Amino acid sequence: MEMVVGGRDGKVVCYSGGINSPVDVPEVNLLNQKLIASCYPNPVNISSGQTAKIKYATQEDAHIIVQIYNTRGELVKTAFDGIKQKGLHYVEWDGIGENLTALSAGLYYCRVSDGKSSVSLKIVIL
């Protein structure tokens, strides 16, 4: 059993095996990170009409690029490329590539970049 606990101070702590089972996972202070990102749902059932909602937050105005890559490292889609103000944003990806065809089921990587740092996510398409 794993448990992730977060507080209002921006700290996230992971416990494995229950609260009384120590694990060597350092605290992550999200307030110190300039860019954070997540994807929901994951896996994404594209054939049933689901879309991947890629959420990201930045602590300052930035030029954001959200790109999707296949397992060979090839760019298959630029989901967003533009300026965003600081705060929480999201982009939806429907599993369609740059050539406007549906991509096959499998593992993809999403890279969210603000020009100074980047976050990588794994996205599974069913």
Side-chain angles (χ1 to χ4, degrees):
M1 175 178 97
E2 288 83 33
M3 179 173 57
V4 177
V5 180
R8 292 184 187 141
D9 61 356
K11 292 183 179 179
V12 176
V13 180
C14 177
Y15 297 96
S16 181
I19 293 176
N20 295 324
S21 298
V23 65
D24 190 21
V25 176
E27 287 185 350
V28 176
N29 188 342
L30 295 178
L31 295 176
N32 290 336
Q33 290 186 288
K34 300 226 184 275
L35 180 67
I36 57 173
S38 66
C39 177
Y40 180 83
N42 198 4
V44 184
N45 191 343
I46 299 298
S47 61
S48 72
Q50 279 185 335
T51 59
K53 290 179 179 61
I54 302 160
K55 295 181 183 180
Y56 57 93
T58 179
Q59 291 189 6
E60 56 190 37
D61 297 356
H63 181 203
I64 302 291
I65 302 175
V66 179
Q67 296 175 308
I68 312 294
Y69 295 86
N70 63 21
T71 55
R72 293 183 299 252
E74 300 165 332
L75 177 65
V76 295
K77 178 73 174 184
T78 298
F80 182 80
D81 184 351
I83 304 295
K84 286 290 185 180
Q85 293 179 341
K86 71 177 181 176
L88 178 64
H89 305 280
Y90 76 94
V91 62
E92 291 189 59
W93 177 49
D94 57 5
I96 303 295
E98 291 288 359
N99 59 2
L100 301 180
T101 59
L103 297 171
S104 60
L107 175 66
Y108 293 86
Y109 296 94
C110 174
R111 182 173 183 254
V112 181
S113 174
D114 66 1
K116 297 177 185 174
S117 61
S118 65
V119 177
S120 295
L121 307 169
K122 292 180 185 178
I123 301 176
V124 176
I125 292 184
L126 301 177

